[in-house]
Amino acid sequence: MSNATRKQFPGNPAKNLLLAALPGRDRRHMLAACEQVDLAFADVLYDPGERIRHVYFPTGGFISQITPNSGHERLEVGLVGDEGMVGTSLVLGVRFARTLTLVQGAGAAWRMDAESFRRELEDSAALQRRLKRYIYVVMCQLAQTAACTRFHVVEARLARWLLMTRDREHADNFHVTHEFLAYILGVRRAGVTRAASSLQKRKLIRYSRGDITILDGPGLEGVACACYALDRRTYASVMH
């Protein structure tokens, strides 16, 4: 269960892009049914198979969606920030989580209970259209991640993930452990060390004890696989 801290509804405009794109009336109605919460690092929002009791629209930080494999193996299959939401299976009428959904970057979010969310979906055609498009984008990203994991070298995949995280965190500095990077990339920790060391030697990043700073964004984009740019184009073309 999440340890999210509740905050009093402040009435300020939505900072989440999905909510911000709704017509004013629909957006105000959504926010009136939400509460703003602070999500702490390592908060578990859903465990696999758990009933979804809340949906989250992040306004800061970022959330990882991790699929378990046999034994202790895990692989990140999704990364959500203020461009999206978690709990999308409710849009499709499925009430249970498929992935471990974990806060990797602390930040605020709008939270709505599942029953209220379903009522909002029924009442707002604009919300339905927006979220259907977003689910399509997520499906494209999942397919791209599968291809990326299979065909692209670790260094390029790490560069892609760092850029994706920067875009969601809106900062060049963030913290991530070696262990979690291994989950993200589906490799052993030694592979993470080699890839991070290579990027650091090229003065693209600084990495020490889990603290990462992107020093050269354009340079890192040059190293990242084409999946990064493709994901951005897909989101821009479908959601705008």
Side-chain angles (χ1 to χ4, degrees), residues 21-34:
L22 293 174
R25 179 182 178 277
D26 297 69
R27 181 172 65 251
R28 288 190 295 272
H29 204 269
M30 281 283 292
L31 291 178
C34 288

Side-chain angles (χ1 to χ4, degrees), residues 103-117:
V103 178
Q104 185 59 28
W110 294 105
R111 181 172 70 181
M112 178 183 288
D113 69 81
E115 291 301 325
S116 296
F117 178 68

Side-chain angles (χ1 to χ4, degrees), residues 5 17 27 32 37 39 53 58 68 77 105 134 137 146 165 183 186 192 216 233:
T5 303
L17 296 182
R27 181 172 65 251
V37 296
L39 302 179
R53 303 189 184 280
V77 294
Y134 177 64
V137 168
T165 302
Y183 288 162
V192 172
D216 181 357
R233 286 198 302 270

